[in-house]
Amino acid sequence: MKAFTRLNGLVCPIDRANVDTDAIIPKQFLKSIKRSGFGPYLFDEWRYADFGEPGMDCTNRPKRPEFALNQARYQGAQVLLARDNFGCGSSREHAPWAIEDYGFRVMIAPSFADIFFSNSYKNAILPIVASAEIVDRLFKECEATEGYKLDVDLEAQTVTTPSGFSFSFDITPHRKHCLLNGLDDIGLTLVHAEQIKAFEAKHKAQQPWLFA
Amino acid sequence: MAKTLYDKLWDSHVVRQEEDGTCLLYIDRHLMHEVTSPQAFEGLRLAGRKAWRNTSIVAVPDHNTPTNNWDRDIEDPISKTQVDTLDANIKEFGSLIYFPFKHKNQGIIHVIAPENGATLPGMTVVCGDSHTATHGAFGALAHGIGTSEVEHVLATQTLVQKKSKAMLVKVEGALGAGVTAKDVALAIIGKIGTAGGTGYCIEFAGSAIRGLSMEGRMTVCNLAIEAGARAGIIGVDQITIDYLEGREHAPKGEQWNQAVEYWKTLHTEEGAAFDAVVEMNAAEIEPQVTWGTSPEQVLAVGGNVPNPANEADPVKRAGIERALQYMGLQADMPITDIQIDKVFIGSCTNSRIEDMRAAAVVAKGKKVAANVKLALVVPGSGIVKRQAEAEGLDKIFIEAGFEWREPGCSMCLAMNADRLSPGERCASTSNRNFEGRQGPGGRTHLVSPAMAAAAAIAGHFVDIRQA
Ligand code: SF4
């Protein structure tokens, strides 16, 4: 996994509540058996005027100009600004795969759906929960200022706006450690393989029917 | 201190705990389907790892499989590749149960695991699928995970997790005639919102929940995720135990007695504390119909579509306006004036035998309305299908003009050929009314099986209590 330490990134606003993972990456793209290549289809139905199919070349597809990702001012964005309950619905990890593949590394919202939230960390994306007031302020500033960038410092757990306003965010030490060092969970867990085996033996003695 | 059911399930699976509360949780049952597993197996293969305990795996292809013309196999080559990939991966890594495409017991993963006794009380159950919450109906801790986590469970038999908060949703009293588990669940979502359960494990309790069959309880837990909760659970009682007895993978003989003794402890103790409590009166719950593009946009069937002008919160107002536009509805119109084009009875929410029976009772001796282009009934598994056919339900549906299909996810998410065309409106017993969920531009209204069947007959929504 890629490490994440610090980023000064352009912000792209997606101004809707309850954005679900079906919207982030529609189901027809779930037929892929790969992990990469989903970026061009991120928000496919909102982004393009035609119907997207897996494998399609998106360069000449008709775009919906009003959608943020299609606007010149947001090209190259690395910070996704969103509303409440972002990433709700299906557990598909294709959603963070698409977000990461597009180039986003940070998401900021008042709340995220649980499964999407943990899936994001596994893909080197940092989801930041900020109060509704702060998120509202960021939306307003972002709309008012072309080239609006945020400075995100994982070590310090802070986000700073161009005007110098700064707020801090929470992250568990475990997730922070993994992100800062680009570690994937499996290797870390297997360090405890003996402990897992010991637990398994005890569990089997207590509830043998679970192992039938 | 008195423990909640969630505490008991959690505590009995913690392998180790870090200082910040992050735990390594042991996983008893790993359910799989073809969509969210290929990248996980690929990761395992690239790292040269084996499955830690392949007898924990129960797998089935369900999302991509066609529900008719099985003799033609899977015609979409990309769907076929995904199903073939699951076949090959299970062959390579092993499993306890695998029902390939066209196997007589094939079906939706959340239907087949319980009916084969592979979901048991006290288990931790995971699947790369958000509706895994379904299995919580058995007093099991069950939740959906992402593909990286699928790989993690395959490789280590554990999951890195932090304990959620606990919410109690208590529904007391008797449900009115025509009011089902689906209506209870939708009413709960309408009350707490689609993010109301975020960060929580929801325990459903109260006399109305205890009065439900296992099928009904699975419907309720299935929809916990639509309220934002990763897991929904219900304590074990005699109904749970009776359902499991004699099922293929349930314990037998002396182990059965031992298991039952333990399972009977799987409920919340008197006086245990919850972080949040929601109480509902069963008698006040009416048949529900969603009108928008989020399951929380739901109303009693007698209601009128909301008017955005009456909403003070600007984000919510914009949400209502967008939903009305997408759904092609007028503000203030009665729900019962909404005409439908298609009907879908199926999905892991409502495709069990009880759901088939409830729909058949309504359809019996009637005809699907002329304006309804397609009314699909898709049983959740081969076992459900055979049971329904033994009871003659297939004939009732076919005579009424419904199509009786082979099991699978079907039009719940339209990854196979069953889907809505742009602008088409569907009365559906599934779980998500998101934009494009049942096909691009398709419009979904979530209802119970009886309400869906009644809408098929009338051509528009009707109050099942008056149908
Ligand atoms: S029936 Fe629908 S919700 Fe259930 S597992 Fe299949 S696609 Fe997912």
Side-chain angles (χ1 to χ4, degrees):
Chain A
M1 193 173 84
K2 271 188 263 178
F4 183 99
T5 49
R6 188 170 183 156
L7 173 87
N8 189 265
L10 186 70
V11 180
C12 178
I14 301 289
D15 198 359
R16 301 185 180 202
N18 297 317
V19 171
D20 58 77
T21 54
D22 282 67
I24 295 173
I25 185 86
K27 64 197 149 258
Q28 62 271 31
F29 302 105
L30 272 53
K31 295 187 185 191
S32 166
I33 56 171
K34 299 206 199 79
R35 243 175 222 268
S36 55
F38 295 100
Y41 312 110
L42 175 66
F43 293 115
D44 199 84
E45 282 178 27
W46 293 347
R47 196 165 153 196
Y48 303 102
D50 63 345
F51 180 68
E53 295 277 6
M56 222 173 191
D57 176 1
C58 296
T59 33
N60 293 320
R61 289 176 62 192
K63 299 196 171 62
R64 298 187 194 274
E66 69 288 0
F67 188 61
L69 287 194
N70 291 327
Q71 294 171 15
R73 58 184 291 194
Y74 300 124
Q75 296 313 304
Q78 292 178 290
V79 179
L80 193 156
L81 184 62
R83 295 287 185 186
D84 257 316
N85 202 25
F86 189 78
C88 61
S90 150
S91 62
R92 63 189 66 164
E93 198 159 319
H94 312 68
W97 291 339
I99 288 171
E100 196 270 344
D101 197 52
Y102 180 86
F104 287 114
R105 297 300 307 277
V106 174
M107 302 181 291
I108 303 177
S111 63
F112 293 91
D114 280 347
I115 302 178
F116 176 77
F117 189 68
S118 48
N119 281 345
S120 297
Y121 287 109
K122 318 269 178 205
N123 293 285
I125 308 167
L126 172 62
I128 295 176
V129 178
S131 71
E133 292 73 49
I134 290 180
V135 170
D136 229 22
R137 172 179 178 156
L138 300 183
F139 265 103
K140 288 200 180 102
E141 291 183 1
C142 179
E143 197 185 320
T145 331
E146 197 148 329
Y148 186 76
K149 285 186 166 187
L150 289 173
D151 190 74
V152 182
D153 185 343
L154 177 56
E155 183 60 60
Q157 295 180 219
T158 56
V159 177
T160 310
T161 69
S163 65
F165 166 74
S166 175
F167 63 93
S168 57
F169 59 88
D170 281 341
I171 179 170
T172 67
H174 176 81
R175 283 175 166 157
K176 184 172 175 177
H177 176 74
C178 288
L179 264 185
L180 282 174
N181 298 292
L183 299 172
D184 87 281
D185 276 343
I186 296 180
L188 287 175
T189 297
L190 285 174
V191 170
H192 307 297
E194 289 310 313
Q195 216 175 340
I196 300 171
K197 280 185 197 151
F199 177 92
E200 196 167 48
K202 185 188 82 183
H203 197 52
K204 188 170 178 177
Q206 285 167 346
Q207 297 180 61
W209 56 87
L210 295 180
F211 294 79
Chain B
M1 219 173 74
K3 283 184 162 191
T4 61
L5 171 57
Y6 180 49
D7 293 332
K8 292 179 184 177
L9 294 170
W10 182 270
D11 294 349
S12 59
H13 289 87
V14 175
V15 175
R16 57 177 282 120
Q17 180 163 357
E18 305 298 335
E19 264 171 43
D20 68 356
T22 306
C23 288
L24 212 52
L25 210 61
Y26 188 80
I27 301 303
D28 295 313
R29 177 66 70 230
H30 192 178
L31 311 175
M32 290 193 161
H33 60 67
E34 78 279 22
V35 179
T36 53
S37 63
Q39 296 88 350
F41 281 113
E42 185 63 18
L44 214 60
R45 205 176 286 118
L46 288 175
R49 293 181 173 124
K50 280 191 172 52
W52 180 284
R53 183 161 72 81
N54 60 13
T55 54
S56 68
I57 297 173
V58 173
V60 70
D62 52 8
H63 284 60
N64 280 279
T65 53
T67 58
N68 57 356
N69 302 326
W70 273 12
D71 52 321
R72 286 198 235 143
D73 217 59
I74 303 174
E75 290 180 302
D76 173 354
I78 315 177
S79 289
K80 181 159 167 47
T81 302
Q82 209 164 46
V83 172
D84 290 346
T85 304
L86 182 62
D87 284 347
N89 283 328
I90 293 297
K91 205 167 164 198
E92 180 179 347
F93 291 92
S95 69
L96 175 73
I97 301 177
Y98 184 55
F99 298 143
F101 176 48
K102 296 193 210 178
H103 184 282
K104 69 178 174 51
N105 290 347
Q106 187 220 321
I108 306 170
I109 185 72
H110 307 307
V111 176
I112 68 152
E115 74 186 2
N116 286 281
T119 298
L120 296 173
M123 275 183 165
T124 42
V125 180
V126 295
C127 179
D129 192 286
S130 58
H131 292 98
T132 311
T134 311
H135 308 268
F138 290 84
L141 181 59
H143 56 242
I145 57 177
T147 298
S148 295
E149 290 172 316
V150 170
E151 185 181 339
H152 191 275
V153 174
L154 277 169
T156 72
Q157 210 59 40
T158 63
L159 200 58
V160 179
Q161 280 274 293
K162 256 191 122 162
K163 197 171 175 186
S164 306
K165 291 177 283 181
M167 178 186 286
L168 177 67
V169 174
K170 219 171 164 182
V171 190
E172 293 288 0
L175 294 174
V179 180
T180 68
K182 180 68 164 283
D183 302 301
V184 172
L186 286 174
I188 292 169
I189 296 164
K191 183 167 168 131
I192 70 174
T194 46
T198 303
Y200 289 94
C201 168
I202 300 181
E203 178 172 344
F204 298 99
S207 55
I209 301 292
R210 282 197 306 276
L212 295 174
S213 65
M214 284 318 294
E215 284 84 355
R217 294 176 189 190
M218 283 189 257
T219 300
V220 171
C221 288
N222 174 278
L223 289 165
I225 185 67
E226 306 313 330
R230 242 184 173 189
I233 47 177
I234 294 175
V236 173
D237 62 10
Q238 198 56 43
I239 293 176
T240 326
I241 293 165
D242 289 345
Y243 176 95
L244 288 167
E245 190 162 16
R247 301 228 169 223
E248 169 122 27
H249 289 272
K252 307 266 149 46
E254 187 38 44
Q255 274 199 5
W256 169 259
N257 298 332
Q258 220 186 320
V260 167
E261 200 179 316
Y262 171 62
W263 294 345
K264 285 186 171 163
T265 68
L266 294 175
H267 49 77
T268 291
E269 289 164 11
E270 193 66 38
F274 285 86
D275 300 290
V277 177
V278 174
E279 299 196 31
M280 310 232 336
N281 180 353
E284 287 171 8
I285 300 176
E286 297 184 66
Q288 306 281 305
V289 182
T290 65
W291 56 268
T293 53
S294 164
E296 70 185 11
Q297 292 174 323
V298 66
L299 283 170
V301 61
N304 293 347
V305 171
N307 192 329
N310 302 332
E311 175 59 58
D313 178 342
V315 176
K316 280 198 186 139
R317 193 186 319 127
I320 295 174
E321 279 165 1
R322 197 178 301 118
L324 290 185
Q325 198 201 1
Y326 182 84
M327 294 298 289
L329 296 174
Q330 305 304 320
D332 297 321
M333 76 186 280
I335 293 278
T336 48
D337 280 0
I338 302 174
Q339 303 269 326
I340 55 165
D341 305 304
K342 287 185 175 169
V343 174
F344 172 60
I345 298 174
S347 89
C348 59
T349 310
N350 282 126
S351 65
R352 299 181 179 83
I353 188 65
E354 192 175 88
D355 303 314
M356 302 288 113
R357 289 177 188 143
V361 165
V362 177
K364 190 165 187 172
K366 307 266 175 47
K367 289 276 178 229
V368 169
N371 61 308
V372 175
K373 291 180 243 174
L374 176 71
L376 275 186
V377 187
V378 185
S381 71
I383 293 181
V384 172
K385 183 167 190 254
R386 284 194 297 280
Q387 174 69 31
E389 288 172 355
E391 296 177 18
L393 307 186
D394 57 326
K395 296 211 177 55
I396 295 177
F397 287 124
I398 292 165
E399 272 162 27
F402 290 81
E403 289 193 21
W404 178 247
R405 293 286 185 91
E406 303 292 346
C409 293
S410 180
M411 210 156 69
C412 174
L413 96 165
M415 269 185 88
N416 67 0
D418 310 336
R419 61 181 68 171
L420 300 180
S421 300
E424 277 183 342
R425 187 182 299 288
C426 182
S428 177
T429 67
S430 56
N431 40 57
R432 289 191 173 136
N433 50 351
F434 300 157
E435 289 184 17
R437 171 79 178 182
Q438 294 191 293
R443 296 161 171 166
T444 304
H445 296 269
L446 304 175
V447 288
S448 73
M451 285 283 288
I457 305 302
H460 56 86
F461 290 108
V462 286
D463 189 337
I464 184 69
R465 296 167 299 184
Q466 290 150 21

